[in-house]
Amino acid sequence: MASLRFLSLFLVLPIHIALFSSLCFAEDDTIFYDFKVSYITASPLGVPQQVIAINGKFPGAVLNATTNNNIVINVQNDLDESLLMTWPGIQMRRNSWQDGVQGTNCPIPSQWNWTYQFQVKDQIGSFFYFPSLNLQRVSGGFGPVIINNRKVIPIPFDQPEGDIIFLIGDWYTRNHTALRTALDSGKDLDMPDGVLINGKGPYRYNTTLVPDGIEYETINVDPGKTYRVRVHNVGTSTSLNFRIQNHNLLLVETEGHYTSQQNYTSFEIHVGQSYSFLVTMDQNASSDYYIVASARFVNESFWQRVTGVAILHYSNSKGAASGPLPEAPSDIYNQWAAMTQPRSIRQNTSASGARPNPQGSFHYGSINITDTYVLRSLPPVTIDGKVRSTLNGISFVKPETPIRLADKYNVKGAYKLDFPNKPLTRPPRTDRSLINATYKGFIEIILQNNDTKMQSFHMDGYSFFVVGMDFGIWTESNRNSYNKWDAISKCTTEVYPGAWTAILVSLDNVGVWNLRVENLDRWYLGQETYMKIVNPEENGDTEMGPPDNVLYCGALQSKQKAQKRHHSSATSLVTGIWNLVLTLVMAVSAGILLC
């Protein structure tokens, strides 16, 4: 059996206290986690720096669940600034109150705790979580999410030997507060200082490029075994090419949907994306093998230092890895060739997902489109003396009062429902403008990237069908090239510079949902909006109300009661038990637990 020590670094066991053993649970199990979010000192690139840890670990623990589990996560904010944790890809059905972005939640103040409660309803797959405020993800705080199939739903491949998780991402030796200062002053973030793999720097494959003494990741495997390799780009703004020397990557799933199974020698993973592969250890183990994550769609010869390198070690390996790294694709100057890979990703229409019905049973290609939105990205511009990023000429201003909370208490002027459905010929401006989306509509969104950088776009609360992408300016005639049969369904898609990506979305999840660029610098500078989706006949069945522990801020700050600061002494155990009692009480009141 392989010594999968990397999983032991991530795994945190759910909290179980005998006090509650007599409680009987609903049909869908409830899992409890405690996340203490704090700073620690680490030196992933050889330079001591402040990073954000979860329970003292960087990266954070794996959140491991099964379809339909109820998840309760008590988050203790030990940072010196406010915090929100978000769970992109988890659809929070009917419950945008738990989404963890500033349009849905008030931030958790420093030294406060707040408990998230949500269900992973009808979902499977590979995702990750992270802190969503003020560039904090640049300093860490991220960790993987695995949602397993229920035992009654077969996976569309043989059961692998185990999971191998890779969190890859570009990395700066300056922390998020320093990078915020740079962006606020109108500067670009410049080239990252490196790429981390599972929070560690590169193996010293080159004595000139990699200094001595850096801790690197080693993955221990057994020959002949097949592992499920889950890879997440948790970085700031750099697309990465992922490859394992001499090994094929059999793509099987992305962000909750099984794919048609195809082999790749390397794979592009853009910021915010998650993929999983089957990798068979079929080499002769004459030496260890390189695992590489290198920068793409940049000047790659100049960006050589922006390369993460780990080691794949067979239990019968005969020596250390040596020699040059396996090369990335050489198509960087042939943009159409570079787009071949994402176009090749197809949905496995015969496989069951979270439910027994095949993934292809939803015939999206035959549904009439109710609305079209063309969202255009441009390079950052100066608005009122500050550098900002825009969508359709609007740079989004973070809400002071969360949107649905403002609705509940009739806060006037909290936002506008006038986001334009196409670019307008007017000066760029800052605003708090939302998409007024129609419940049960079926919309087409064109992501038109007229910026100079590769971008990723993410939609909270939903998966969407990626039906087309091409270079140039989108026109209605491009619909003739859409994939209307087996387009992949996911929640984060790449949009090439000077190109467009078309997605189709069925609006069946009420609430307020963030639509944003995943490149953290552009997101911080305002390249986002929200979709507001309300059932006009709402009777409590299609949208949950605010949780009992809802936080108040902005125009409703006066409603917020003070929270006692936590103790780090022996009283912390009592505090922890009391927090769990409160959590269970809230869960009972929400109907999660039954007695």
Side-chain angles (χ1 to χ4, degrees):
M1 188 73 178
S3 175
L4 302 180
R5 65 177 183 81
F6 46 89
L7 276 182
S8 68
L9 291 174
F10 291 118
L11 187 61
V12 68
L13 293 175
I15 302 167
H16 296 286
I17 296 182
L19 175 64
F20 303 108
S21 61
S22 62
L23 285 174
C24 54
F25 290 88
E27 179 181 352
D28 300 315
D29 289 344
T30 299
I31 301 175
F32 297 92
Y33 286 90
D34 250 346
F35 278 15
K36 181 180 178 180
V37 185
S38 65
Y39 296 119
I40 63 171
T41 299
S43 305
L45 293 177
V47 178
Q49 63 182 118
Q50 180 179 268
V51 304
I52 296 176
I54 307 292
N55 298 333
K57 300 292 186 181
F58 168 71
V62 63
L63 198 164
N64 203 328
T66 299
T67 301
N68 294 341
N69 279 171
N70 298 294
I71 312 297
V72 179
I73 305 172
N74 182 51
V75 174
Q76 173 64 48
N77 178 14
D78 280 356
L79 305 182
D80 57 1
E81 58 185 12
S82 295
L83 169 75
L84 280 174
M85 298 298 295
T86 192
W87 328 88
I90 309 302
Q91 293 179 6
M92 305 292 174
R93 304 294 300 180
R94 306 170 50 226
N95 194 12
S96 61
W97 303 96
Q98 307 291 328
D99 202 34
V101 287
Q102 205 161 336
T104 62
N105 295 80
C106 290
I108 306 168
S110 175
Q111 307 307 311
W112 284 36
N113 75 286
W114 197 74
T115 301
Y116 291 86
Q117 303 170 71
F118 54 87
Q119 185 180 28
V120 288
K121 179 68 174 173
D122 292 335
Q123 288 195 262
I124 54 96
S126 309
F127 310 95
F128 67 94
Y129 60 83
F130 65 89
S132 65
L133 297 183
N134 297 324
L135 281 184
Q136 288 170 347
R137 189 172 99 196
V138 170
S139 291
F142 43 74
V145 176
I146 296 174
I147 306 179
N148 303 287
N149 283 59
R150 292 176 292 163
K151 291 182 179 179
V152 296
I153 308 294
I155 57 177
F157 43 82
D158 291 338
Q159 187 68 41
E161 180 70 11
D163 281 318
I164 298 175
I165 299 172
F166 289 108
L167 298 172
I168 62 176
D170 57 356
W171 188 257
Y172 293 84
T173 54
R174 293 172 290 164
N175 69 5
H176 64 284
T177 56
L179 295 179
R180 273 204 313 249
T181 300
L183 290 175
D184 289 341
S185 65
K187 298 178 182 178
D188 191 54
L189 292 187
D190 298 323
M191 182 170 66
D193 297 298
V195 168
L196 303 190
I197 298 179
N198 291 347
K200 298 176 182 178
Y203 173 80
R204 201 178 191 202
Y205 71 96
N206 182 305
T207 57
T208 302
L209 293 172
V210 184
D212 194 15
I214 289 180
E215 183 183 7
Y216 58 88
E217 180 73 307
T218 299
I219 303 301
N220 297 299
V221 296
D222 282 338
K225 302 292 187 181
T226 296
Y227 298 84
R228 184 168 180 175
V229 175
R230 303 177 191 255
V231 191
H232 314 268
N233 187 334
V234 298
T236 300
S237 196
T238 305
S239 298
L240 297 174
N241 179 270
F242 178 82
R243 53 202 186 272
I244 302 177
Q245 186 179 26
N246 293 359
H247 290 74
N248 284 325
L249 306 171
L250 181 65
L251 178 65
V252 294
E253 177 260 338
T254 177
E255 297 167 3
H257 291 85
Y258 293 117
T259 67
S260 293
Q261 297 177 16
Q262 301 180 68
N263 269 313
Y264 300 88
T265 55
S266 69
F267 202 86
E268 316 288 352
I269 302 180
H270 303 276
V271 178
Q273 291 187 333
S274 299
Y275 288 91
S276 68
F277 310 90
L278 296 181
V279 180
T280 300
M281 305 305 155
D282 55 5
Q283 298 301 297
N284 61 16
S286 57
S287 68
D288 293 341
Y289 298 94
Y290 291 126
I291 302 166
V292 183
S294 60
R296 283 280 277 161
F297 308 104
V298 292
N299 185 335
E300 293 175 22
S301 59
F302 183 63
W303 280 51
Q304 273 188 296
R305 79 179 191 203
V306 190
T307 301
V309 182
I311 293 298
L312 183 71
H313 175 77
Y314 280 53
S315 57
N316 62 341
S317 175
K318 301 177 180 66
S322 61
L325 299 179
E327 292 185 357
S330 57
D331 56 11
I332 188 60
Y333 298 110
N334 183 342
Q335 53 186 11
W336 280 270
M339 200 180 273
T340 300
Q341 186 174 87
R343 285 172 165 172
S344 71
I345 302 170
R346 296 285 191 267
Q347 188 132 286
N348 184 338
T349 57
S350 62
S352 297
R355 292 182 174 184
N357 50 300
Q359 292 182 146
S361 60
F362 184 74
H363 300 292
Y364 67 91
S366 59
I367 301 174
N368 291 329
I369 293 170
T370 57
D371 289 290
T372 296
Y373 288 85
V374 179
L375 306 185
R376 185 180 67 187
S377 306
L378 292 171
V381 295
T382 300
I383 305 175
D384 298 330
K386 293 186 177 181
V387 174
R388 303 284 298 181
S389 293
T390 61
L391 278 179
N392 285 0
I394 297 175
S395 185
F396 192 78
V397 179
K398 304 284 192 217
E400 296 175 357
T401 307
I403 294 159
R404 292 303 277 152
L405 203 59
D407 290 341
K408 179 175 175 61
Y409 290 95
N410 297 312
V411 176
K412 304 301 182 185
Y415 62 89
K416 301 174 183 176
L417 282 173
D418 62 354
F419 192 89
N421 62 3
K422 61 183 178 181
L424 300 179
T425 55
R426 65 185 183 189
R429 67 188 192 191
T430 58
D431 211 340
R432 207 170 276 138
S433 179
L434 277 58
I435 294 174
N436 188 12
T438 303
Y439 177 54
K440 292 191 175 179
F442 188 72
I443 67 172
E444 173 187 46
I445 298 178
I446 311 303
L447 302 167
Q448 179 73 54
N449 183 5
N450 289 3
D451 200 344
T452 58
K453 293 185 176 181
M454 174 73 76
Q455 296 187 344
S456 309
F457 274 83
H458 174 84
M459 182 183 291
D460 282 347
Y462 285 93
S463 289
F464 47 72
F465 294 96
V466 184
V467 293
M469 61 178 66
D470 206 346
F471 291 92
I473 303 298
W474 178 88
T475 65
E476 292 185 6
S477 64
N478 291 121
R479 290 175 178 148
N480 296 326
S481 66
Y482 284 3
N483 177 354
K484 297 183 178 181
W485 299 274
D486 60 356
I488 189 61
S489 185
K490 60 207 310 286
C491 58
T492 310
T493 186
E494 62 270 62
V495 190
Y496 285 70
W500 55 267
T501 296
I503 62 175
L504 300 179
V505 195
S506 179
L507 300 181
D508 61 349
N509 190 17
V510 287
V512 171
W513 306 107
N514 193 211
L515 174 59
R516 63 178 179 264
V517 69
E518 273 290 305
N519 307 66
L520 298 186
D521 51 347
R522 297 290 198 261
W523 183 15
Y524 177 76
L525 294 174
Q527 196 171 328
E528 64 172 325
T529 186
Y530 285 79
M531 300 188 303
K532 182 180 175 183
I533 303 163
V534 176
N535 180 359
E537 300 176 0
E538 179 62 59
N539 58 7
D541 290 338
T542 54
E543 183 176 15
M544 296 182 183
D548 292 342
N549 65 339
V550 66
L551 294 176
Y552 296 95
C553 56
L556 301 172
Q557 181 66 54
S558 62
K559 298 179 69 66
Q560 181 60 51
K561 296 180 180 179
Q563 186 178 102
K564 290 184 180 180
R565 291 179 178 269
H566 76 289
H567 301 283
S568 57
S569 63
T571 59
S572 61
L573 177 59
V574 176
T575 303
I577 293 175
W578 178 242
N579 285 336
L580 184 54
V581 171
L582 292 177
T583 296
L584 286 168
V585 169
M586 288 186 290
V588 169
S589 67
I592 293 176
L593 303 177
L594 299 175
C595 290

